[in-house]
Amino acid sequence: MGLGSCMITLFGAFLSGFLFFLPISYSDTAPDYTFVKEATSAPAVVYYDYIIIGGGTAGCPLAATLSHGATILVLERGGSPYGNPNITNIANFGPTLLDTSPTSPAQQFTSEDGVYNIRARVLGGGSAVNAGFYTRASTRYVKEVGWNHNLVNQSYEWVEKVVAFKPEILQWENALRDGLLEVGVLPNNEFTYDHLYGTKVGGTIFDAEGHRHTAADLLQYADPRKITVYLHATVQKILFRYISGRERPQAYGVIYKDAYGVRHQAYLKRNSNKNEIILSAGAIGSPQLLMLSGVGPAFHLRTHSIKVVVDHPMVGQGMADNPMNVLLIPSPIPVEVSLVQVVGITRFNSYIEGASGLSLSISLAHRLSNNFKRFLSQTEHPPFRVLPEAIARAAEMVHGIANRTIRAGVILEKIMGPLSTGHLALRNTNPDDNPFVTFNYFKEPEDLRKCIEGMRTIIDVVNSKAYSKFRYKNMPVEALIDLMLTLPVNRRRKHANATFSLEQFCIDTVMTIWHYHGGCQVGRVVDKGHRVLGIDSLRVIDGSTFYHTPGANPQATVMMLGRYMGQRILHDRLVHGSKKKN
């Protein structure tokens, strides 16, 4: 194992393990989706009213909704989440993140900022590989975006009937909640899906038996006679044409490949000028595919010998990721294994969350233990001087994971927004490859200020009376910070002053919480109806259209968006059809 894979293994298994592992059973019973098929069974040419690229967190509810008024084709580059214990059983969350195979549901990438990340590649999208936390956007967010409040609430409720549940809160999460209240993250909002300042228990997409419910479950709402979903169908490009009398290009079809590399074509039916291609490929996939199809910054496209259809300089701009920073807190007593269930929503706009316990495969954990000291000793350019005692503590911690004797929790902070943004650029013309993505973490001083305040709140919680039984009294917070600095959580340079400077600690140990967004933002790339500016019959409906992450976790709002926009599109289609008949 090389240095890079060692770091990714350590990051993915060590920290993600604490955040998201739960030793539960899983159900491999798949719903009776007769309309979900492998793309290898697809005809060479097909025709539909709507072609949705991406069967993810937005694509599934969107497709289910549209199927009640039109024929729908969904092209998903990944496989099915059903029957896969790495997806359905949260205890196997780590192996999913560490799977580097071509068909992994979690495709790894490292941003140009040196931060490890993943993008979903599976029916259900990020909801099939995430930690399951479910919470709505704030009423202020809904108002600023300009959505219809009543339709938003109806759409959330439609989603929640299938995928959202109230979690069981045990001792460690109770201590975190009480600690947040003790240090002033008030009021106590108890359990709610709503976004409210203070401390609350959020929802989860895991039911009482511990089974994951993804956005793919929302396909049960679909009309099975009107929808087809092809798996392992990787779209190569969107096709455009010019119609006589129109100056704007029109999207009219796509070219995609199946698992064997065979090319297929899908076209819009000509029975209505309301038929459309809808990109729901996510914040990475949607801007990437627009560029591969000739829609993006002209100069950049020409450097890759891509014919320019529309010079769209804002495609790929505004990329942002909510930075996360973590403290690992060893416990003198056993802790339950919990997901992220409690969140403190602070007045200074930082989220404080936590999780406890760990379940790892023995082989993976031993691989961690065997490589950790080697990582520290073989780095050609040590980012900072690692004290021998710090190495010993970290190695002991990793060894504890390998032997399943570790008792600890993590408390993390994630900032709202963020204000800092970056961009996405093509690496090559292969849609299977990751593009270059730069998030520019903490470029804006206000983001860094929020992180510092968030870390101070975490330190206050760790020192609170409510949390006291879950930490060693003789282990100061400085030691916990020092421990984090010994772990290769990213590829960034570490600085010696990060031990006592929270500003430097935030910069040096920044990680992702997988809430990236932007690249096809409303007003820049698409209009308020999510239609791509300057092009007919093409929309983008997913998190790439967001300027900021909605709430403490975006998945509820992304699923809501699919339902919400599906209803708006159908309403417009029906009104148009009625007028045409008259």
Side-chain angles (χ1 to χ4, degrees):
M1 177 184 291
L3 176 60
S5 57
C6 172
M7 291 191 292
I8 293 172
T9 301
L10 186 60
F11 165 64
F14 187 79
L15 288 175
S16 296
F18 280 105
L19 287 172
F20 311 118
F21 281 64
L22 187 63
I24 55 179
S25 62
Y26 71 93
S27 170
D28 59 0
T29 303
D32 186 23
Y33 289 162
T34 56
F35 51 84
V36 178
K37 309 170 184 179
E38 285 291 328
T40 50
S41 68
V45 180
V46 292
Y47 295 86
Y48 285 83
D49 295 329
Y50 291 94
I51 300 171
I52 298 176
I53 303 172
T57 315
C60 286
L62 174 65
T65 301
L66 290 176
S67 70
H68 290 277
T71 59
I72 311 301
L73 174 65
V74 179
L75 300 174
E76 168 53 49
R77 71 189 185 114
S80 171
Y82 301 109
N84 183 342
N86 282 359
I87 293 174
T88 316
N89 182 359
I90 195 62
N92 295 331
F93 182 81
T96 301
L97 292 185
L98 298 169
D99 183 0
T100 59
S101 69
T103 58
S104 169
Q107 182 178 0
Q108 297 178 0
F109 73 95
T110 301
S111 74
E112 300 307 293
D113 315 271
V115 173
Y116 307 121
N117 215 317
I118 63 123
R119 51 190 292 215
R121 180 170 49 188
V122 61
L123 188 67
S127 67
V129 296
N130 67 12
F133 195 61
Y134 183 97
T135 181
R136 295 183 177 189
S138 67
T139 54
R140 179 180 177 181
Y141 187 98
V142 171
K143 183 177 180 180
E144 289 178 348
V145 173
W147 293 329
N148 180 283
H149 181 76
N150 290 332
L151 186 55
V152 163
N153 285 341
Q154 292 169 15
S155 299
Y156 274 126
E157 290 167 3
W158 182 87
V159 169
E160 288 156 10
K161 287 178 182 178
V162 174
V163 306
F165 306 89
K166 179 180 179 180
E168 181 183 5
I169 304 299
L170 300 178
Q171 288 190 32
W172 191 90
E173 292 279 352
N174 266 319
L176 173 60
R177 179 187 60 189
D178 293 345
L180 285 165
L181 294 172
E182 182 181 326
V183 304
V185 185
L186 299 168
N188 182 359
N189 293 307
E190 302 293 344
F191 167 74
T192 179
Y193 294 144
D194 292 337
H195 182 97
L196 302 169
Y197 282 111
T199 297
K200 74 167 189 173
V201 175
T204 177
I205 62 173
F206 292 93
D207 62 25
E209 296 181 350
H211 301 153
R212 181 192 290 271
H213 293 261
T214 76
D217 288 20
L218 297 172
L219 290 172
Q220 65 187 261
Y221 283 122
D223 182 342
R225 300 166 299 175
K226 298 285 190 67
I227 184 173
T228 302
V229 178
Y230 286 133
L231 302 176
H232 299 113
T234 304
V235 174
Q236 307 297 298
K237 65 184 298 186
I238 301 167
L239 302 174
F240 299 97
R241 66 185 173 195
Y242 286 90
I243 297 178
S244 177
R246 292 187 183 181
E247 295 182 359
R248 296 151 54 102
Q250 179 190 44
Y252 74 101
V254 301
I255 296 173
Y256 67 97
K257 289 184 179 180
D258 63 26
Y260 297 146
V262 177
R263 289 165 64 95
H264 302 256
Q265 297 169 14
Y267 297 104
L268 296 179
K269 291 181 179 179
R270 295 198 176 190
N271 60 338
S272 171
N273 62 9
K274 289 293 181 180
N275 294 349
E276 294 176 317
I277 293 170
I278 304 176
L279 261 172
S280 293
I284 306 297
S286 288
Q288 179 187 24
L289 193 53
L290 280 178
M291 289 185 189
L292 291 175
S293 304
V295 180
F299 175 80
H300 179 59
L301 300 185
R302 291 189 183 107
T303 62
H304 289 278
S305 300
I306 296 172
K307 180 182 178 181
V308 178
V309 176
V310 175
D311 181 7
H312 231 311
M314 298 310 294
V315 172
Q317 298 300 308
M319 296 297 299
D321 186 24
N322 297 84
M324 177 181 73
N325 293 84
V326 172
L327 272 191
L328 168 65
I329 305 108
S331 172
I333 62 174
V335 296
E336 76 265 15
V337 181
S338 72
L339 297 169
V340 176
Q341 297 169 336
V342 171
V343 59
I345 303 176
T346 69
R347 293 285 177 179
F348 55 83
N349 294 334
S350 175
Y351 303 102
I352 313 298
E353 303 171 6
S356 63
L358 182 65
S359 175
L360 275 173
S361 69
I362 290 294
S363 61
L364 176 61
H366 274 294
R367 189 171 62 181
L368 269 176
S369 183
N370 293 337
N371 281 278
F372 186 63
K373 284 186 177 180
R374 188 171 64 190
F375 161 76
L376 292 174
S377 62
Q378 289 186 354
T379 304
E380 293 180 5
H381 303 287
F384 69 106
R385 183 170 176 264
V386 183
L387 299 176
E389 55 267 32
I391 295 177
R393 281 200 306 271
E396 182 181 354
M397 183 72 71
V398 176
H399 181 71
I401 296 173
N403 291 282
R404 298 193 178 206
T405 60
I406 193 75
R407 297 181 299 194
V410 293
I411 305 179
L412 63 92
E413 74 85 32
K414 161 199 157 182
I415 68 168
M416 289 188 187
L419 297 177
S420 303
T421 63
H423 63 278
L424 177 150
L426 295 177
R427 185 184 304 271
N428 53 40
T429 58
N430 185 350
D432 290 317
D433 289 347
N434 293 312
F436 295 110
V437 186
T438 303
F439 294 117
N440 287 327
Y441 297 103
F442 303 125
K443 179 181 179 181
E444 297 295 331
E446 180 66 12
D447 289 340
L448 189 55
R449 184 192 68 79
K450 293 175 186 176
C451 179
I452 294 169
E453 288 300 309
M455 290 306 303
R456 286 174 178 162
T457 303
I458 289 176
I459 292 169
D460 289 343
V461 171
V462 171
N463 289 330
S464 69
K465 182 179 179 181
Y467 191 80
S468 59
K469 70 177 181 180
F470 289 110
R471 64 161 302 192
Y472 286 98
K473 292 181 175 58
N474 62 348
M475 182 176 287
V477 170
E478 289 78 9
L480 302 178
I481 291 174
D482 193 30
L483 174 60
M484 291 304 302
L485 290 167
T486 65
L487 300 176
V489 297
N490 56 38
R491 289 182 176 175
R492 299 191 132 202
R493 179 174 178 263
K494 305 299 185 297
H495 298 79
N497 66 331
T499 299
F500 52 84
S501 166
L502 288 180
E503 177 180 352
Q504 196 64 56
F505 178 85
C506 285
I507 294 170
D508 289 358
T509 66
V510 65
M511 292 173 282
T512 184
I513 198 166
W514 304 290
H515 296 168
Y516 48 82
H517 51 277
C520 298
Q521 292 166 320
V522 173
R524 290 180 171 179
V525 177
V526 299
D527 64 17
K528 289 187 177 181
H530 288 244
R531 304 174 190 86
V532 177
L533 299 169
I535 298 176
D536 291 332
S537 305
L538 181 63
R539 300 194 201 221
V540 180
I541 300 175
D542 57 27
S544 71
T545 62
F546 294 163
Y547 281 81
H548 304 293
T549 294
N553 187 295
Q555 73 166 339
T557 303
V558 175
M559 285 188 269
M560 180 281 294
L561 179 67
R563 169 65 175 175
Y564 178 92
M565 287 304 304
Q567 289 181 292
R568 286 190 55 184
I569 292 170
L570 274 188
H571 177 266
D572 185 48
R573 185 182 186 92
L574 291 174
V575 169
H576 174 81
S578 176
K579 288 181 178 179
K580 190 174 182 180
K581 288 179 182 179
N582 293 335

